[in-house]
Amino acid sequence: KVEARAQLDPDPYQVPYHVKICSSSTRAATKFCNGAQHLNTMLSRTLARTAATTARRFASTTTPVALVGCGMPGRGMGWYHAKQILDGDVPSAKLTDIVEPWFLGGGADGPGGAEFAAFKAEVEPTGVRFHSSIADMPKPDGKMMAMVCTRTADMPGYVDDLVAHGVSHVFLEKPGAP
């Protein structure tokens, strides 16, 4: 009979898993258990290194995020994603730019324009930059993720513009580009 058991360590910065393997057969079991102890030691060391590296990486880095298509505050999916990042619900992300062609363009005086202007006035002091087009956004100097939260039919053009602009990763809200 072979028993394998993994227990989650309560401290995420310590070794995340302890593996115990043992057998209750005859001489083969003794050899198996000795090999299992060696395997257990190797696994523990590997998992400890991996956990420490991962914890350091996530604790010390954030990914810059540009949001394309914020939409109306309180209603748009892009606005909701911006809110999640700004509220700290996505600790590995830092919202750096919002590209909103409609409310920073022809829709500024229409329905929702005043609400968007109030949202912009509230968020700009936190360091988020607002742009009416991707071309107006500063080019990234390293990796950057862009979230495209526009109408599905408009996504291919925005993705092409983002890639040409130097954005390294693109997330498409909704089902994706046609």
Side-chain angles (χ1 to χ4, degrees):
K1 179 181 176 183
V2 175
E3 176 188 334
R5 182 173 43 200
Q7 296 174 329
L8 184 61
D9 193 70
D11 185 350
Y13 297 102
Q14 299 297 319
V15 179
Y17 297 100
H18 296 285
V19 180
K20 180 180 180 183
I21 303 173
C22 60
S23 172
S24 60
S25 301
T26 56
R27 280 189 250 173
T30 304
K31 289 181 182 179
F32 178 79
C33 279
N34 289 338
Q37 287 173 346
H38 177 68
L39 177 64
N40 189 23
T41 301
M42 289 181 359
L43 283 173
S44 293
R45 288 180 185 162
T46 301
L47 290 171
R49 282 193 304 270
T50 303
T53 301
T54 302
R56 276 193 307 273
R57 188 179 69 196
F58 284 119
S60 64
T61 63
T62 58
T63 301
V65 176
L67 182 78
V68 179
C70 182
M72 187 169 173
R75 290 185 46 197
M77 202 67 219
W79 169 84
Y80 186 69
H81 289 308
K83 181 179 178 338
Q84 289 174 317
I85 295 171
L86 292 169
D87 288 348
D89 294 337
V90 187
S92 61
K94 177 173 179 26
L95 187 61
T96 58
D97 298 274
I98 292 178
V99 177
E100 177 48 57
W102 177 247
F103 288 122
L104 293 175
D109 295 328
E115 291 88 344
F116 186 81
F119 171 70
K120 180 178 181 263
E122 177 187 334
V123 171
E124 267 183 323
T126 67
V128 177
R129 301 170 293 211
F130 285 77
H131 317 281
S132 60
S133 71
I134 293 167
D136 294 341
M137 184 175 76
K139 289 193 177 219
D141 58 356
K143 290 184 178 183
M144 174 184 243
M145 184 183 93
M147 296 173 55
V148 181
C149 303
T150 63
R151 296 180 313 160
T152 302
D154 295 335
M155 287 183 174
Y158 286 120
V159 171
D160 290 343
D161 291 348
L162 288 163
V163 171
H165 199 69
V167 172
S168 59
H169 297 79
V170 178
F171 171 86
L172 302 178
E173 173 61 55
K174 302 184 187 178

